[in-house]
Amino acid sequence: MGVVQLTVDELAVRVGLPGSTIRMYQTKGVLHPPRRQGRVAYYDESHIERLTLVQRLQSRGFSLPAIAELVKAREQGASVAAVLGVGDNEGPDDWVRVRVRDLKRLVPTGDMRPAVLRRAIQLGLVRWRRGWPHTRRWALEAGNRLAGLAVPAEDVLDQFAGLRRATDGIAADFVEVFERRLWPRLDGKSAEDDQLDRVRALLVELTYTAETVVVGTLRESIREAAEEFARRHGLLPGGDFQPAWAEEPVPIAERLIDTENEIPDETTIRRFLDQGDEPS
């Protein structure tokens, strides 16, 4: 089967649009130029696909400038996340070039093998661009800290691989919430103003919320893991130990030494909710 070649009139019939609209889309930057043979312009399957996308986005409330922004960014290699404001902005997430002296600081002597760097690239922790390795700024800073603690590179990569699997699952869960709870609200407002800014705002809010929840939960997990580590290695006083201030008749002291986490029944919780914030 040969390559599809359509004139503007034939393309108009295929996609159900006037030829003038197709030319307008080209002017607005949402449709790439056709291939020209002499004075005749020919369109192909990529133009049909692009016009289908434009129609779909318009039906969901995206303006032509917003569609042009999405298309242009995608053609220049930008990620969807970057276009929506949760991607490669300057800061801890931007990509920086890794020099040989950086690698010597990151990887302990004798551990700097091509296989180690290649694995980092395969894991997505490092990208190879124009003959140079690049990594996120946060990864470079974290790597420097771990190197200062003399943690072997293979251990770092093993931990990163496991962490990435966990964060992929967390991200998928948050996107599922977005798709199930928030996206229908946007999809239902397709006749209103442009949707791109709404999508951006919601995704940025969801991203920051996810980061806050993940960091907070991780801190709680680390606290509990540290307590368990200390108990396992005999770093804590015996069970009958009490600090000097524990004898003081101060309610806060009682709360500080009370490490129990009560789990009330639903009746107790309902009573708490019904009584409000006034003391009983």
Side-chain angles (χ1 to χ4, degrees), residues 170 173-174 205-221 223:
I170 293 169
D173 289 343
F174 271 91
E205 182 70 21
L206 194 63
T207 298
Y208 288 147
T209 301
E211 288 176 354
T212 302
V213 170
V214 169
V215 170
T217 305
L218 178 60
R219 284 175 175 160
E220 289 296 325
S221 296
R223 291 186 188 107

Side-chain angles (χ1 to χ4, degrees), residues 18-37:
S20 58
T21 300
I22 294 173
R23 294 188 182 92
M24 182 268 290
Y25 284 166
Q26 287 177 228
T27 303
K28 297 289 186 181
V30 298
L31 183 66
H32 47 293
R35 182 177 58 83
R36 293 192 172 275
Q37 286 185 354

Side-chain angles (χ1 to χ4, degrees), residues 53-188:
L53 172 65
V54 171
Q55 289 175 295
R56 185 165 64 247
L57 291 176
Q58 278 191 304
S59 71
R60 291 181 172 177
F62 287 83
S63 66
L64 285 180
I67 296 172
E69 182 181 348
L70 286 168
V71 167
K72 182 179 179 181
R74 199 61 170 167
E75 288 177 343
Q76 292 176 347
S79 66
V80 172
V83 176
L84 295 176
V86 292
D88 301 337
N89 297 323
E90 289 296 319
D93 283 340
D94 62 328
W95 289 91
V96 293
R97 192 170 77 172
V98 182
R99 295 172 172 79
V100 175
R101 63 175 178 268
D102 297 320
L103 290 174
K104 288 181 178 177
R105 282 200 305 268
L106 288 170
V107 183
T109 304
D111 211 15
M112 189 166 60
R113 307 183 308 277
V116 173
L117 184 56
R118 191 166 187 272
R119 188 182 176 208
I121 294 170
Q122 290 170 335
L123 290 172
L125 190 59
V126 173
R127 291 184 183 177
W128 198 266
R129 294 175 173 174
R130 296 181 292 278
W132 286 91
H134 293 71
T135 190
R136 298 284 194 187
R137 190 180 299 278
W138 64 260
L140 189 60
E141 293 173 356
N144 279 321
R145 294 193 193 100
L146 290 170
L149 296 171
V151 178
E154 287 291 351
D155 282 357
V156 173
L157 293 179
D158 286 343
Q159 293 302 314
F160 175 79
L163 179 62
R164 182 56 193 263
R165 287 192 294 271
T167 54
D168 282 347
I170 293 169
D173 289 343
F174 271 91
V175 169
E176 189 274 333
V177 169
F178 178 86
E179 188 171 5
R180 178 164 49 89
R181 296 295 187 185
L182 303 181
W183 177 246
R185 301 180 200 172
L186 293 172
D187 219 15

